[in-house]
Amino acid sequence: MHLFNTPIANAIADVEVCDNALDGDDSNGIVTTTLVDLTATVLGSQDPMAYTVTFHDTQADADSGDNPLPDDYQNTEVDIEEVFVRIENNLNSDCFDTTSFNIIVNMLPESFDTSLFQCDEDGIPEGFTLFNLTEANDALTGGIPDRSTKFFTSLVDAQNDENEIDGTSFSNWENPQTIYVHVIDNITGCYSIAELLLEVSA
């Protein structure tokens, strides 16, 4: 009689992500999760050649091994969905274990385009002056609590979260000039992008 090892399905922490526009809508609570990236967590120190990990919609499918989900999985339940995981011995599929985790999709915070209008106060009427961009925070966030801002001079920088500028002391070099702003939900870390138009009266 041959004894087969029953694997252990190590626990996976909930996968918490921000909604995005990759599916064409950044406010529908649907994202794509690469499930295969979680395989190593399920295996832990167990031999990846000895066991197979699959992901499933239901506990019943995880128990039977039926209807595995694709590696790149788009959740079908909005905002939060439980995914079930099966790990089985490659030599005996009756030796298996299961666990589960949640995919949690956090909504992007609402943001509001606005403008700052300022007089040219440096004595040289060329249309360039010093702005405190944070003066627009209430307008950008709608005054909603638990919101913060980050400022960028280009949309590409804002999209890539690179080259943040000092919002308390910014000298414009165009008039008018558009600044791109992360409006951040401080609880989830998710952000949306607003536009801040700077205008100088000479």
Side-chain angles (χ1 to χ4, degrees), residues 36-194:
V36 70
D37 288 348
L38 305 172
T39 297
T41 302
V42 181
L43 284 164
S45 60
Q46 298 167 107
D47 182 0
M49 304 303 294
Y51 305 104
T52 296
V53 176
T54 51
F55 300 84
H56 303 266
D57 258 337
T58 65
Q59 183 65 58
D61 280 350
D63 289 339
S64 66
D66 293 333
N67 305 312
L69 298 175
D71 288 346
D72 291 317
Y73 173 64
Q74 193 173 74
N75 56 299
T76 55
E77 295 178 33
V78 173
D79 300 334
I80 182 168
E81 179 172 332
E82 188 172 13
V83 174
F84 300 87
V85 189
R86 173 189 175 94
I87 178 172
E88 72 174 46
N89 189 311
N90 290 338
L91 298 177
N92 186 338
S93 61
D94 289 334
C95 299
F96 70 91
D97 191 22
T98 65
T99 186
S100 71
F101 67 95
N102 292 312
I103 296 174
I104 300 170
V105 183
N106 291 311
M107 305 306 290
L108 304 184
E110 195 172 3
S111 60
F112 305 89
D113 295 343
T114 190
S115 59
L116 282 177
F117 184 80
Q118 199 162 290
C119 293
D120 193 342
E121 297 170 343
D122 58 8
I124 307 169
E126 82 286 63
F128 306 133
T129 190
L130 202 61
F131 283 88
N132 180 354
L133 305 180
T134 63
E135 291 176 359
N137 277 0
D138 272 356
L140 290 162
T141 64
I144 299 169
D146 296 316
R147 297 289 188 267
S148 58
T149 54
K150 290 170 66 174
F151 301 92
F152 305 84
T153 56
S154 77
L155 181 58
V156 171
D157 282 348
Q159 291 169 333
N160 294 326
D161 196 10
E162 295 176 343
N163 304 314
E164 178 188 357
I165 60 173
D166 179 4
T168 62
S169 181
F170 175 73
S171 296
N172 66 306
W173 64 82
E174 296 175 350
N175 185 30
Q177 182 164 358
T178 300
I179 299 296
Y180 299 87
V181 188
H182 283 190
V183 174
I184 306 161
D185 183 326
N186 296 332
I187 296 171
T188 65
C190 298
Y191 66 85
S192 58
I193 297 175

Side-chain angles (χ1 to χ4, degrees), residues 19-49:
D19 204 347
N20 58 53
L22 296 179
D23 63 348
D25 187 340
D26 65 5
S27 61
N28 61 359
I30 303 294
V31 299
T32 297
T33 303
T34 303
L35 297 175
V36 70
D37 288 348
L38 305 172
T39 297
T41 302
V42 181
L43 284 164
S45 60
Q46 298 167 107
D47 182 0
M49 304 303 294

